[in-house]
C-alpha cells in the first residue's frame, strides 16, 4: 500500500473520494486541508467516474423475460389436480408443484454437469405428462440432450414417485448462439 | 396501484395475481443484479427464475421488518451466490452480448460507442472480483442501495460492509488501472 508524503495511505482516501465521507472524521479533516490528499482524492474521483458512468447503464432485460418468469412461478404455484400415480393397492396423489420442483432440480443437476449444452426454460405438468422446455446451444445434438434429460428426470421422479413414472416430453423452444462457457 | 407490501399481503392471502404484479414490477431490476453478479445473460435469467420460485415458496416467511424490495434483493443475491458456488469458477464478463446493454442513445453514435466501451471495461473488472466483494459493490454502486440496505440484504453489520466495500473499491480501481 503506497503512502502520500503526508503519511496518509492512498487507499484510505477511497471512501472519501467515492462517498464524500468517511468513518474516520480525523482523516476527513486532515484530507481537506492537505494538498497531497486533495490531489489524491481528485485522482480517485476521476478514475471512479468510469464506475459511475457504467452504473448509469441499466442492463436491458431480454425480450419476454417477465412472461417467462410468470410462467415459472405459475408452474410451481400449481393449483391443478394432484398428479395421480397408480400404485399397488391404490393411487398416489402428488401436488403438481412437487413434480415441477423435482423435475427442475433434476434437470438443473444434469445440465450443471454438462455446461454449454442446454438451459432449462420451463417445466409444465399437464394431466399425466411432464413437459420440459429447453434452450439448446447451437451445435448440440437435440436427440442426445433429450434422451439424457428424459432418462435423468425419469430416474429422479422414480426415486420420489416409485416405478409408475409419468411420460416426460422434451420441447426445444429456442437455440442460443452463445454457448455457455 | 397497490404498494409492494400490499401485494405481498394479498399474495400470502392467496391472491396469485398480486404475486404476478410483483414479478412484473421487479423482474427487470432483479435481472440487472443477477447479470452484474454472474456476468452472463443466460445465467442471469436462470438466477432470476430461481429467485422468483424461492420468493414464491418463501412468501410466508417474509419478515415485515424489511422492505419488499430489500427482501427481493436478498432473494436474487442469494440465488446468484448459489449459482456461483455451483459454477465454482469465475466466468469473466469478457463480452456483452447484443441486447444486454441499453439501446444506443445520444449524444452521438461515436460518443455512445465510447461510453459502452468504458462500461464494458468496468463490467469486466467487476467480474474479476471475489463474490464477497462483487456483491456488495453491485448493490451499493450499481443499484444505489444505502449502506444500511446493503447490510440488510447481506445480513452483515454496517461496519463489516464498510470494510468489504473498501476492499472491493480498492481492488476495482486497481483492476481498472490494469485494464486501461
Amino acid at each position: 500500500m503506497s503512502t502520500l508524503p503526508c503519511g496518509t495511505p492512498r487507499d484510505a482516501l477511497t471512501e472519501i473520494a467515492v462517498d464524500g465521507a468517511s468513518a474516520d472524521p480525523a482523516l476527513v479533516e486532515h484530507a481537506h486541508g492537505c494538498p497531497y490528499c486533495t490531489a489524491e482524492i481528485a485522482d480517485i474521483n476521476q478514475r471512479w467516474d468510469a464506475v459511475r458512468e457504467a452504473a448509469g447503464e441499466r442492463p436491458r432485460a431480454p425480450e419476454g423475460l417477465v412472461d417467462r418468469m410468470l410462467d415459472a412461478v405459475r408452474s410451481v404455484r400449481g393449483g391443478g389436480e394432484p398428479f395421480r400415480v397408480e400404485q399397488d393397492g391404490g393411487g398416489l396423489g402428488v401436488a403438481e408443484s412437487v413434480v415441477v420442483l423435482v423435475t427442475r432440480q433434476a434437470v438443473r443437476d444434469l445440465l450443471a454437469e454438462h455446461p454449454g449444452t442446454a438451459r432449462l426454460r420451463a417445466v409444465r405438468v399437464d394431466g399425466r405428462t411432464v413437459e420440459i422446455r429447453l434452450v439448446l446451444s447451437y451445435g448440440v445434438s437435440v436427440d442426445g440432450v433429450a434422451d439424457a434429460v428424459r432418462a435423468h428426470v425419469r430416474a429422479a421422479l422414480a426415486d420420489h414417485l416409485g416405478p409408475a413414472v409419468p411420460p416426460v416430453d422434451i420441447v426445444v423452444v429456442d437455440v442460443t448462439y452463445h454457448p455457455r462457457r | 396501484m397497490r404498494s409492494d407490501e400490499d401485494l405481498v399481503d394479498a399474495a400470502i392471502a392467496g391472491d396469485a395475481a398480486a404475486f404476478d404484479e410483483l414479478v412484473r414490477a421487479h423482474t427487470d431490476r432483479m435481472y440487472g443484479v443477477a447479470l452484474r453478479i454472474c456476468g452472463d445473460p443466460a445465467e442471469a435469467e436462470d438466477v432470476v427464475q430461481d429467485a422468483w420460485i424461492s420468493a414464491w415458496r418463501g412468501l410466508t416467511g417474509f419478515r415485515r421488518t424489511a422492505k419488499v424490495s430489500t427482501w427481493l434483493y436478498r432473494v436474487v443475491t442469494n440465488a446468484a451466490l448459489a449459482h456461483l458456488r455451483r459454477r465454482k469458477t469465475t466466468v469473466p464478463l469478457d463480452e456483452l452480448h447484443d441486447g444486454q446493454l441499453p439501446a444506443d442513445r445520444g449524444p452521438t453514435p461515436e460518443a455512445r460507442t465510447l461510453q459502452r466501451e468504458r462500461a464494458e471495461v468496468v463490467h469486466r473488472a467487476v467480474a474479476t472480483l471475489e463474490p464477497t466483494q462483487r456483491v456488495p459493490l453491485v448493490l451499493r454502486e450499481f443499484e444505489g442501495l444505502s449502506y444500511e440496505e446493503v447490510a440488510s440484504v447481506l445480513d452483515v453489520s454496517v461496519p463489516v460492509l464498510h470494510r468489504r466495500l473498501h476492499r472491493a473499491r480498492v481492488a476495482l480501481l486497481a483492476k481498472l488501472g490494469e485494464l486501461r
Side-chain angles (χ1 to χ4, degrees):
Chain A
M1 183 189 301
S2 64
T3 305
L4 295 171
C6 63
T8 304
R10 290 175 190 271
D11 288 355
L13 299 171
T14 306
E15 202 172 9
I16 299 176
V18 174
D19 277 344
S22 167
D24 183 352
L27 178 64
V28 176
E29 192 179 342
H30 161 79
H32 285 147
C34 170
Y36 303 109
C37 289
T38 306
E40 180 66 17
I41 289 169
D43 179 61
I44 296 171
N45 228 326
Q46 192 179 18
R47 288 186 284 147
W48 198 256
D49 276 346
V51 179
R52 296 189 183 101
E53 188 178 65
E57 297 266 359
R58 299 297 303 177
R60 195 173 57 202
E63 199 175 329
L65 180 70
V66 170
D67 288 339
R68 292 195 290 279
M69 296 305 116
L70 288 169
D71 208 26
V73 170
R74 285 168 186 158
S75 71
V76 175
R77 189 184 290 152
E81 288 293 308
F83 206 86
R84 297 285 300 178
V85 178
E86 295 309 318
Q87 294 184 319
D88 288 343
L92 169 67
V94 181
E96 212 179 277
S97 57
V98 173
V99 177
V100 170
L101 287 169
V102 170
T103 303
R104 282 180 59 85
Q105 191 60 49
V107 176
R108 281 289 178 81
D109 288 347
L110 179 69
L111 296 181
E113 291 172 15
H114 304 280
T117 52
R119 288 176 42 237
L120 175 62
R121 173 63 65 79
V123 173
R124 289 178 176 171
V125 175
D126 181 17
R128 292 184 48 82
T129 303
V130 176
E131 182 183 285
I132 298 167
R133 298 185 161 214
L134 298 176
V135 177
L136 215 63
S137 292
Y138 178 74
V140 172
S141 155
V142 175
D143 279 354
V145 170
D147 287 348
V149 169
R150 186 181 294 110
H152 193 76
V153 168
R154 285 177 63 84
L157 288 172
D159 285 345
H160 288 76
L161 307 179
V165 177
V168 175
D169 290 343
I170 308 291
V171 180
V172 177
V173 293
D174 202 357
V175 62
T176 174
Y177 293 91
H178 300 289
R180 292 165 68 183
R181 288 143 290 189
Chain B
M1 193 172 143
R2 291 186 284 183
S3 69
D4 284 347
E5 283 66 26
D6 289 344
L7 290 172
V8 166
D9 285 341
I12 291 171
D15 180 356
F19 194 81
D20 288 354
E21 269 192 64
L22 283 173
V23 174
R24 290 191 188 91
H26 293 278
T27 288
D28 281 4
R29 191 148 42 85
M30 289 166 74
Y31 175 79
V33 174
L35 178 62
R36 281 168 163 155
I37 293 175
C38 296
D40 179 272
E43 292 182 19
E45 181 164 339
D46 289 349
V47 165
V48 179
Q49 196 176 113
D50 287 347
W52 276 122
I53 288 173
S54 291
W56 169 255
R57 300 185 72 206
L59 198 55
T60 51
F62 169 63
R63 289 173 294 171
R64 282 166 176 68
T65 49
K67 287 197 296 187
V68 171
S69 57
T70 304
W71 171 60
L72 290 174
Y73 271 121
R74 185 181 301 139
V75 172
V76 74
T77 298
N78 287 341
L81 287 171
H83 184 84
L84 292 180
R85 279 194 293 273
R86 277 197 299 272
R87 192 170 69 186
K88 290 194 170 61
T89 55
T90 301
V91 174
L93 199 155
D94 55 9
E95 56 189 53
L96 294 173
H97 302 153
D98 291 343
Q100 187 174 335
L101 285 175
D104 284 356
R105 58 176 187 268
T108 65
E110 292 78 12
R112 181 70 190 138
T113 300
L114 286 173
Q115 192 178 337
R116 277 182 79 151
E117 285 173 2
R118 286 195 297 270
E120 285 175 17
V121 169
V122 172
H123 290 305
R124 273 207 301 277
V126 170
T128 65
L129 302 179
E130 287 296 312
T132 52
Q133 297 178 351
R134 197 188 319 167
V135 172
L137 194 83
V138 165
L139 295 175
R140 170 68 188 158
E141 308 297 347
F142 292 86
E143 294 301 314
L145 269 61
S146 69
Y147 279 95
E148 289 72 21
E149 286 171 320
V150 179
S152 171
V153 168
L154 300 179
D155 204 18
V156 298
S157 67
V158 172
V160 166
L161 174 67
H162 269 283
R163 286 194 290 277
R164 283 191 193 175
L165 263 176
H166 174 73
R167 286 194 292 269
R169 286 164 170 168
V170 170
L172 180 59
L173 283 169
K175 197 70 197 174
L176 286 173
E178 289 173 25
L179 293 175
R180 278 214 178 85

